[in-house]
Amino acid sequence: MKDRQPVYVRGLGAYLPEKILTNADLEKIVDTSDEWITSRTGIKERRIAADDQYTSDLSAEAAKRALADGGLAAGDVDAIIVATVTPDMPFPSTAAFVQKKIGAHTCPCMGIEAGCSGVPYGCELASALLRQGPYRNILAISADKLTAITDWQDRLTCVLFGDGAAAFLLTCDAEGARGEILDIYIANDSSGVDALYLPGGGSRAPATEETVRNRLHFLKMNGQEVYKEAVKSMGQAVATILERNNLVPDQIKFFSPHQANLRIIDAMARQINVPLERFLTVLQWTGNNSSPSVGIALDDAVRAGRLQHGDLVVLVSFGAGLTSGTVLLRWIG
Ligand code: ACO
């Protein structure tokens, strides 16, 4: 906020795996159709990580791109944060694997579990660390290999998800900045904690033959509740950040919403009375890749030259927890 030390985006990077899974491919796996998936979600295809490509690999690729974008080297990184619900393994942290893969020095590495709200949560933690010091450059990465926890026998969920990563290289130095973070809002409404979860593999249901047989190691979702809550909480999160910065939706050039479902985005756009064209969407070809999705949509717009100096952008996320969050960003160039 205005009376706090500013935090800047020095570099931005996104990564999507090469392999494409189309709706036609899914028709061969489960009882579904391109028409059903497109009309209910807007998704036409999604990217799938290779078997030997883990969340840390996706993260490292996005991180390298953010470093190149910001003109810094891995040795300049003072802390690495990875927000994910699909870590390489329960421990050590995925960030530790990223440190090794990008060749950073022995900086602190940590993780965040915020479902699809990894970008606002990661940016909030990184901003707090930067303001506190002595950190200068922090990689706030959001990455998921959701297809590793997708039940390919469950047609309600398997048509939705894909894999990917986004990295924000954040700093307190104004020099060379591509964007300025003006404000961040994050929240969690635990009344919806049972709407989206992975029951198996934690301390509550450690892996046994039975948990595997009962398919407890796959994501479970109450689709209609998630849909309803997504529209409500993302609408509230946008209203909160606009109100406390004395802004109205017309002053925002683009909204970068969680890429879950085109119908959710459309409902949100109508709720705040903003034309759908001002909502960045990539889900048609990425699917819902969870935590990085708002960063991937932002990166896509930046690479396409759609942002001009001074434009205001609101990233808005929603995910398991149920988390929600927004980042208000002023694009510098
Ligand atoms: N293909 C064809 N038919 C299907 C499929 C499919 N893939 N999946 C379900 N159906 C059928 C159902 O069996 C049901 O059939 P019935 O009427 O004969 O019983 C019918 O389609 C309607 O099912 P609903 O569950 O009512 O479908 P709905 O309209 O709610 O759409 C959807 C389902 C797309 C999942 C929707 O609820 C939704 O988008 N929810 C939000 C999900 C989401 O965004 N999750 C991720 C957010 S958080 C995160 O990113 C991790």
Side-chain angles (χ1 to χ4, degrees):
M1 299 247 255
K2 302 211 170 23
D3 54 343
R4 297 192 296 183
Q5 184 180 349
V7 170
Y8 299 96
V9 179
R10 166 108 189 201
L12 184 62
Y15 175 76
L16 291 167
E18 276 172 30
K19 187 178 170 197
I20 295 172
L21 187 75
T22 65
N23 290 350
D25 295 329
L26 279 166
E27 287 175 358
K28 295 178 200 136
I29 301 173
V30 286
D31 179 14
T32 191
S33 65
D34 174 48
E35 194 282 319
W36 192 96
I37 303 170
T38 307
S39 64
R40 302 281 174 138
T41 71
I43 298 166
K44 298 299 281 184
E45 59 186 45
R46 64 288 290 145
R47 299 299 185 96
I48 309 285
D51 288 347
D52 62 353
Q53 202 176 23
Y54 317 126
T55 298
S56 63
D57 296 300
L58 309 179
S59 302
E61 286 308 318
K64 285 180 202 163
R65 291 175 188 195
L67 286 168
D69 190 50
L72 293 184
D76 297 318
V77 174
D78 301 315
I80 303 173
I81 300 167
V82 177
T84 185
V85 293
T86 49
D88 285 21
M89 50 183 79
F91 68 88
S93 83
T94 302
F97 292 109
V98 174
Q99 182 191 74
K100 193 168 187 178
K101 285 174 183 172
I102 66 172
H105 65 82
T106 56
C107 62
C109 291
M110 58 197 93
I112 296 178
E113 256 179 291
C116 306
S117 302
V119 169
Y121 270 71
C123 288
E124 176 79 333
L125 175 57
S127 299
L129 292 173
L130 285 166
R131 289 194 179 103
Q132 168 203 302
Y135 309 96
R136 285 178 72 86
N137 305 303
I138 298 185
L139 274 170
I141 304 167
S142 294
D144 272 304
K145 184 177 178 179
L146 266 202
T147 58
I149 56 165
T150 296
D151 186 346
W152 296 100
Q153 293 179 13
D154 175 13
R155 66 175 181 170
L156 188 67
T157 54
C158 77
V159 301
L160 303 175
F161 301 120
D163 305 324
F168 288 73
L169 176 59
L170 302 182
T171 169
C172 282
D173 300 330
E175 202 185 321
R178 306 213 62 199
E180 180 181 356
I181 293 181
L182 300 180
D183 196 8
I184 301 173
Y185 162 79
I186 53 174
N188 189 95
D189 177 1
S190 53
S191 67
V193 82
D194 294 330
L196 193 58
Y197 61 104
L198 179 72
S203 57
R204 184 157 147 184
T208 61
E209 279 181 31
E210 197 186 352
T211 63
V212 173
R213 197 167 45 250
N214 292 334
R215 310 186 77 71
L216 299 189
H217 299 275
F218 296 120
L219 173 157
K220 312 288 175 202
M221 180 183 78
N222 177 336
Q224 285 177 3
E225 190 184 342
V226 170
Y227 187 104
K228 213 172 59 211
E229 290 301 321
V231 176
K232 192 175 90 187
S233 69
M234 285 199 288
Q236 277 169 358
V238 168
T240 302
I241 206 153
L242 292 184
E243 202 178 299
R244 71 186 194 189
N245 288 279
N246 297 316
L247 292 167
V248 294
D250 274 353
Q251 292 171 276
I252 307 301
K253 175 76 177 283
F254 288 117
F255 294 84
S256 183
H258 176 39
Q259 305 288 308
N261 181 316
L262 205 51
R263 289 193 302 154
I264 292 177
I265 296 172
D266 186 48
M268 246 190 82
R270 279 187 277 109
Q271 196 182 67
I272 60 170
N273 205 17
V274 168
L276 192 56
E277 299 72 54
R278 297 221 324 270
F279 280 75
L280 303 173
T281 60
V282 293
L283 63 85
Q284 296 87 339
W285 44 276
T286 64
N288 172 359
N289 46 37
S290 191
S291 63
S293 85
V294 299
I296 291 173
L298 175 68
D299 183 78
D300 182 69
V302 169
R303 308 287 155 226
R306 298 180 71 192
L307 290 183
Q308 313 299 323
H309 178 81
D311 283 346
L312 295 179
V313 182
V314 168
L315 315 181
V316 53
S317 303
F318 164 85
L322 294 169
T323 57
S324 56
T326 46
V327 179
L328 173 64
L329 196 65
R330 181 169 46 225
W331 197 245
I332 295 172

